[in-house]
Amino acid sequence: MMMGMSLVIFTLLHVLISLIGIVAGLIAAIGWLKSDPSRVSTAIFLATTILTSVTGFLFPAPKLLPSHIVGLISLVLLVLATFAFYGRHLLGIWRPIYTITATLSLYLNVFVLGIQAFLKIPLLQSWAPTQTEPVFLVVQGAAFLLFALLAILTTARFRPTQLATL
């Protein structure tokens, strides 16, 4: 039991929160590319991605796992992104800090989604049973390159006009 739920239900809730965070993050990122702060999608993205990382630590684990390290990195990035957006209103250096940390935390959520997809979806698992096969590396490498490009583009293009009213 996890927080009064079976492990299966808790896992489904964790995955659902993660997927909502990814979708909201992608919607927000489209706004960032248009210099639109996308307040609702950004709030949903930040909240659900923080919740995804926090709930990840509640799964039973005998030791510190790579997923815990990804979760810790994600939480540090999300604290910076949240502070830049809400605490510093994206002024000065806080705008690029926000775009980079928000985009990287979105990438980490997608990175974990890719890993889990190759672990849980039978077709993908058959293509990359050890997650060292070329197809897995190409998918994860392509995701990394796309999000690196997204971080660069959002940093260059995200210049909302109403910074003080966020």
Side-chain angles (χ1 to χ4, degrees), residues 62-143:
K63 61 180 182 172
L64 183 69
L65 300 171
S67 59
H68 295 124
I69 294 171
V70 170
L72 286 171
I73 293 168
S74 181
L75 283 171
V76 168
L77 292 170
L78 289 161
V79 164
L80 284 169
T82 302
F83 181 71
F85 194 85
Y86 294 106
R88 293 295 179 207
H89 305 288
L90 306 174
L91 295 172
I93 192 69
W94 292 101
R95 184 191 51 78
I97 288 172
Y98 171 74
T99 57
I100 292 167
T101 57
T103 303
L104 288 177
S105 62
L106 177 57
Y107 162 70
L108 289 176
N109 216 359
V110 170
F111 171 75
V112 171
L113 175 65
I115 291 170
Q116 291 300 316
F118 275 91
L119 285 172
K120 308 289 186 204
I121 298 172
L123 178 63
L124 295 178
Q125 190 177 35
S126 71
W127 290 346
T130 66
Q131 295 190 347
T132 58
E133 292 76 13
V135 67
F136 177 80
L137 300 175
V138 167
V139 167
Q140 290 292 30

